Amino acid sequence: MKKLLPIILCASILLAGCGNSNSEDSSSVASDSTSVSASEPASSSEASSEPASESTAAEEAQTDNLESAVAALEAVNPISNPAPLDDDNEDSAFRVENELMLTMDNLVAYRGDITNDQADCGLVFVVQAKEGKAADVEAELQAYKDSLSANNMYAEFADKIAMAEDARIVTNGNYVAIVIASIGSDYGAIDTALETALNF
């Protein structure tokens, strides 16, 4: 029994030492994890509580504005045999990018109509540009306008070329419109309509 007592005491001391060692390790691990979590960036819930940026709000498609502008312009410049230019339509997107030569990344939304008549050139097209991109859209539409009137070799298209040369391009804020008068339409009435069509 006397021999057993020192063995039991040694064992209890060893066990007590192991327990302290484990608690120290666990406390150091806890402090390490605390320091790691403190250095991590704010959580997504905290980030989402910040107000939405102005550019995000400005880049929501305002289709009602676009449609009302197109309607006002087509009231004075009807497009014969119209092909829709609508951002919901894949064919329109191809035409806008490759025919009107617009950079799609500059656009939020667009609406309009272009004639399918070979002898006409009527166009009503209104773009909602991304924040800070209206000037780029206007420049690209100007290049498109210039390309239409660059080739005046064919006498049978003289009226069409004259209408294209006088095309109107108007910018108001993030909205840009181009209007080419249909044969028989009057640019005076178009100019009057453009004064208010983009005022939203």
Side-chain angles (χ1 to χ4, degrees):
M1 185 78 168
K2 286 184 181 178
K3 289 182 181 178
L4 211 69
L5 190 59
I7 292 172
I8 292 171
L9 284 173
C10 275
S12 64
I13 291 169
L14 283 174
L15 287 173
C18 288
N20 286 341
S21 165
N22 284 343
S23 66
E24 285 172 13
D25 288 348
S26 63
S27 67
S28 69
V29 168
S31 68
D32 287 349
S33 66
T34 304
S35 65
V36 168
S37 64
S39 66
E40 288 174 0
S43 70
S44 60
S45 63
E46 290 171 1
S48 65
S49 67
E50 294 175 5
S53 69
E54 287 179 18
S55 63
T56 304
E59 292 183 4
E60 291 178 10
Q62 304 296 322
T63 54
D64 289 347
N65 290 349
L66 295 172
E67 287 166 5
S68 68
V70 169
L73 295 168
E74 289 190 6
V76 296
N77 185 43
I79 306 299
S80 63
N81 191 16
L85 297 172
D86 183 332
D87 55 23
D88 294 331
N89 183 313
E90 280 186 33
D91 292 338
S92 292
F94 180 84
R95 199 163 193 176
V96 166
E97 186 171 16
N98 295 288
E99 196 173 311
L100 274 64
M101 301 182 290
L102 292 181
T103 302
M104 301 306 278
D105 286 344
N106 291 339
L107 315 181
V108 176
Y110 53 85
R111 293 287 188 277
D113 290 297
I114 189 168
T115 185
N116 266 328
D117 287 350
Q118 188 71 21
D120 204 346
C121 58
L123 169 67
V124 169
F125 184 64
V126 184
V127 170
Q128 180 188 350
K130 288 184 179 177
E131 192 69 35
K133 295 296 182 180
D136 295 339
V137 172
E138 182 178 350
E140 290 175 340
L141 288 174
Q142 183 63 50
Y144 168 69
K145 172 188 166 182
D146 294 343
S147 74
L148 293 176
S149 55
N151 186 354
N152 57 5
M153 291 170 52
Y154 303 105
E156 65 266 29
F157 296 124
D159 289 348
K160 186 175 175 178
I161 290 167
M163 290 296 195
E165 284 174 343
D166 288 337
R168 305 305 202 246
I169 301 172
V170 174
T171 300
N172 187 359
N174 290 331
Y175 294 92
V176 186
I178 181 170
V179 181
I180 303 175
S182 298
I183 301 298
S185 292
D186 175 36
Y187 271 117
I190 290 168
D191 289 336
T192 300
L194 279 167
E195 287 175 9
T196 56
L198 302 184
N199 294 336
F200 305 116

